[in-house]
Amino acid sequence: MASAAQWLSGARLRTLPLAIAPVLIGTGAAIGSVGGLSAFIIGDFTKNGHTHSLGLILFKALLALIVSLSLQIGSNFANDYSDGIRGTDDERVGPLRLTASGLAEPAAVKKAAFIFFGIAGVAGLALVILSQAWWFLAVGAAAVAAAWFYTGGKKPYGYMGLGEVFVFIFFGLVATLGTMWMQVGNLSLSGWAGAVAIGCLASAVLMVNNLRDIPTDVEANKITLAVRMGDEGARTAYAALVLVPFALLALAIIDGHPAAALAVLALVLALSPLKIVLRGTTGPGLIPPIKSTGLTALCFAALLGLGLSL
């Protein structure tokens, strides 16, 4: 039986910055779109037919964060289960996997995944009720399906080189723009720029993870995008995904948020993983860049969210 520490390891806490980041950007973009933090000094106010309350925005942000974190953890357990029963994780370079290691029964790991999907569903429903955006229920259902079918089902899209595409869509566009829309009922150029930027960084984390696993994935017939692109191509793609977000800051500045330039500071954190990946490091040597890229994404999001909210 797996210990509590092993279950925590199976939850892959190092991936959680990618769930927090889009909520930070979406919330910052939402506050910035209605006049910034200074607009709330007088208290609640009405703009374009909507009454805006900083307390309500932050409460919605908390619900969005619960949704995002729960979906990420649920997805991690779902991947552990599906890859484990397929035998994909039998020869691993990375961290512990509960199913493949035999520390937990596959049914227990699967149950854990759906418990977290359920938590995401409850928090998401509360967010929809508060925002009256009933159409977003379909988006939430699609997000759960995407989390499960990444490695689950008969034809998992993660085995067809589409993992980065879905990560970009759901942990970039959907999570960021969904957070913003639920809070203020509109979208902005800055919000779109932030959504694309964090989608790229989330995809970069998956790209370097799959770069590390190319040898074992080829043996397991798991055709990720990194496998399709080859070692050199995957490294180039990773570098592009890390650097493009910093160029996108120009759009936020043009949109009237010069403080968005604060996010450039996150480039300091990006330099080390970039060097490691581009110099041809393989195997366990690529584990630190996975963690560092996730932290880069979180720092970028925190600084951009702050810059957009001022």
Side-chain angles (χ1 to χ4, degrees), residues 38-52:
S38 60
F40 291 95
I41 292 177
I42 59 173
D44 299 352
F45 64 93
T46 300
K47 182 177 181 180
N48 299 328
H50 294 277
T51 299
H52 301 291

Side-chain angles (χ1 to χ4, degrees), residues 274-295:
L274 275 170
K275 289 178 181 178
I276 293 172
V277 171
L278 293 179
R279 73 186 179 202
T281 303
T282 60
L286 288 172
I287 294 176
I290 297 173
K291 297 178 180 178
S292 297
T293 307
L295 289 175

